[in-house]
Amino acid sequence: MADIRPFRAFRPAPGLEKEVAALPYDVYNRTEARAEVEGNPYSFLAVDRAETQFEDGCDPYSDQVYEKAGSLLSEWIREGRFVQESRPAYFIYELEMDGRKQTGIVACASVDDYLNQVIRRHENTRQEKEMDRIRHVDACCAQTGPIFLAYRSNGQINEVTDRVRQTPCLFEFTAPDGIIHRGWRIDGNEDIMLLQQAFSRVETAYIADGHHRCASAVKVAQRRRQEKPGYTGQEPFNYFLSVLFPDDQLLIMDYNRVVKDLNGLTQEELLDKIGESFEVEPMPWLEETKGEKSEEGEWTGTGLRRSRPCRPDRKGCFGLLLGGRWYRLTVRKSILTDDPVEGLDVSILQNHLLGPVLGIRDPRTDKRIDFVGGIRGLEELERRCGQDCAAAFSLYPTSIEELFAVADAGLLMPPKSTWFEPKLRSGLFIHSLLEEDYNAACAAE
């Protein structure tokens, strides 16, 4: 059963939430991160990506970068840009995108639950990315980016959150990307007890996003357990910052692929080979006219043909953009399977097209493939094919039920299988690993 606890959060001082809140550190490349921090020096990205505080040639994994992350966070706390809750609490974190809301509980989840498979993963992690966050957590002595967890919707948890959301919120702001963020505190003893009891009956939680942050938090805890005489299991490093969302509120978008070349094939040869595993249907042409109007009101200029884009509308359907034209690909029944991993659309595309036809055997390392989150739209695939890619593939989104099935089977999804929107912001809630903060909270109780 899940051990999900309230904690004594550090939060931005009232009114500073919008200025501080930042997208996850790994959403940005180095150039984008620097531009973001230059535009807003108090963005939490300055802590999460502290190389932005140095010259361009700085090694982002040098000791001075991690030291700067810790010193900058401490400086902002001393300046009063962050304040700490006087007692442990849960929080509600609501994100609204295009009128659709998802409401999660901010809390600390148990490292032991991760080790015992109560909290389950569906992705592999890379050692170098884990080490980066381990060093960041150690330097800050805090977890600064929440792990995005999902669980099967629970009526008792919903009742508490729905009721608290009727009260005035702690903060509300609209981010530059149009996402509305709201927060509430849950610190009444009765509600805390109700939530703890309800989560104790949640058999399984799932990592939706943040596998590297989660694995890093676990390894920090394991090392500190070895270093601490008289370790009890109640120390703050035994828990990691999380936001837990019910499954029926989550949105998974498509995660599309672009490829740099056709592996030596002509377009006709590629379509023939694809036809062995997929039914191939060209999308109709759309007439577009560009030019100027004559005095008689008629358009003059060149008529340009554009293919109707293919956005898959069901599982087993794919879009292919090739040579300026879109095609609908429908997987043949002979290669369908009920296997929770092999039956995923991302697996079908990889195993029956990208690998055997285009020669992309390992999408994790092959530089001939790139991945485009669905939030960018099919227009981004068209742009890439007009710029630096030979073909693009649009996919139907992986479902939350498919994610649960893979994790429950103890299996792993292919890379870049899920794209969750909206993204949680870092800096709104921070979990300190300092023992004195924990002890002060216990004394206050």
Side-chain angles (χ1 to χ4, degrees), residues 9-46:
F10 277 95
R11 298 190 299 104
L16 297 184
E17 292 89 356
K18 181 175 181 178
E19 183 178 35
V20 168
L23 285 165
Y25 74 98
D26 52 358
V27 167
Y28 300 91
N29 63 34
R30 190 166 184 174
T31 301
E32 292 168 340
R34 181 172 296 279
E36 181 73 15
V37 173
E38 286 177 352
N40 176 14
Y42 288 110
S43 165
F44 202 78
L45 196 62

Side-chain angles (χ1 to χ4, degrees), residues 7 25 55 69 83 99 107 126 225 236 251 269 315 342 432:
F7 69 111
Y25 74 98
E55 297 296 327
V83 294
R126 291 163 49 191
R225 289 175 176 184
L251 172 65
E269 289 170 338
K315 183 174 169 58
E342 299 303 310
S432 173

